[in-house]
Amino acid sequence: MSERTKMGDNEVQMARIYMDYNATTPLAHEVKEAIINGLSMWGNPSSSYSLGQEARVAIEDARLQIASMIHAFPEEILFTSGGTEANHMVIHSVICEEADQGNPIHIITSTIEHDAILEPLKYLQKQKHIDVTYLEPRGEVGTILVEDVEKAIRPSTLLITLMMANNETGILLPIQGVALSHLQSFDSERTIIKSADLLLVLPCILLPFLKAIKCYEEAEVLFGREGDAPFYGPRIGALYVRGLGSGDGALFPLFRGGGQERGYRPGTENTPMILGLGAAAFLVCLNLSSYQKHMENMRNALITLLKEAFEESLVIHGDIDPKNRLPNTVNFSLKPPLYTVKGREILGKIPRLCASTSAACHSHSVKPSRVLLACGVDENLAAGAIRLSVGRETTEQEIKEAVLLLRESVSLHK
């Protein structure tokens, strides 16, 4: 996606190249229309008169759109402020499930998870409310092995929470394998809850997620979080809880208040943003295959041009097998000693190129990516990493220009 923007005191017109779709996306046109339509539905959805019921019907239509996208039931979808709140609700529910009984709580996660998972777990562990096993990714491919998950399970294990895809490397984690395998790995009377962060996967490749859902139908409970990140939707979230509508879902409210969202998530619903999220989900339902094919083509073209530009000096982080990664993400570094420049310095010379060196929530940090370090990437190589993520509107011309700009910037530091 390019846009014309004024740069500097001389108001020089430049074409901005956006290649940070894993951080956030623009709103799709249809999403904007849905939000604008929702702004006219200002009635309280909990009110019984027609103004409120108009908003209620629109919200339930959006809930159905999101449920349809993941082949779930509408009553299994709850609206939240975003993925962070949904993550906290899942963890909170696990603790509430066992707190009254005084049982020990063990949680399994990985060192490459989002901070919205790692930070609350670290805090709760420090407060001695839970015990946590942090699985390390294997090798520079950077994935978590199913056997490592199985070995980590204890009689007190209550939650396994893993992202379906890493937002920095694009690597898919074996959620489906975890769902199928761990049930036989430990004879425990306690229900082990499985939790997956779906933010990056849903708008890109839905099939692996649907396979995981089918596996979980043979298990107990799945929590899934959806949000705006690469979704072309508004900054709002949804939580999927398998079996919630039938009363089987083990969910406890994070807040106390009114009875909105069946009492699980009090607070007057944000009608315009919910409608926008529903519209974004509907677009995925209609166009997922074409979205995926386009992003794969753009990613493959990007890798080809990077190889031509930097030859043997190029290092692509993570498994490059397309079956094992998101179709839109390339994370790369240039080998020292020929190249010793940091990724931040390379991008700093290219104001036209909107890209990143790690997850957006770490953009203020000058340290190498903790995800790459956890994957065993050398510290100097990790410090030089750049993440490029393409989107639905990315063009071949933009990719060519981006690689040219990167090569020019690198040559200034060589």
Side-chain angles (χ1 to χ4, degrees), residues 20-73:
D20 202 18
Y21 287 90
N22 282 8
T24 193
T25 58
L27 294 177
H29 173 72
E30 295 86 348
V31 172
K32 291 180 182 178
E33 289 187 336
I35 292 173
I36 292 172
N37 186 41
L39 291 172
S40 66
M41 300 180 187
W42 50 268
N44 190 317
S46 297
S47 300
S48 59
Y49 45 79
S50 60
L51 195 62
Q53 288 305 297
E54 179 187 15
R56 169 55 55 198
V57 170
I59 287 173
E60 296 310 316
D61 286 344
R63 197 188 310 275
L64 177 60
Q65 289 174 317
I66 294 170
S68 298
M69 179 180 63
I70 61 173
H71 295 195
F73 295 106

Side-chain angles (χ1 to χ4, degrees), residues 152-169:
I153 294 175
R154 309 173 186 171
S156 59
T157 301
L158 195 61
L159 173 66
I160 301 172
T161 176
L162 298 171
M163 54 175 47
M164 287 198 72
N166 186 268
N167 62 326
E168 292 192 32
T169 64

Side-chain angles (χ1 to χ4, degrees), residues 11 58 95 109 111 123 132 155 159 161 198 214 221 253 265 288 292 305 353 366 377:
E11 295 187 346
I95 294 176
T109 189
T111 57
Y123 173 79
V132 185
L159 173 66
T161 176
L198 317 175
K214 184 172 180 59
V221 181
R265 207 282 181 180
L288 181 60
Q292 179 177 348
L305 290 175
L353 179 60
V366 296
V377 176

Side-chain angles (χ1 to χ4, degrees), residues 186-217:
F186 207 105
D187 184 14
S188 174
E189 295 181 356
R190 306 173 77 192
T191 298
I192 299 179
I193 299 172
K194 283 70 64 179
S195 176
D197 195 328
L198 317 175
L199 294 180
L200 286 169
V201 176
L202 291 181
C204 299
I205 41 174
L206 194 57
L207 184 59
F209 170 74
L210 295 180
K211 289 181 178 178
I213 291 291
K214 184 172 180 59
C215 293
Y216 279 116
E217 290 175 357

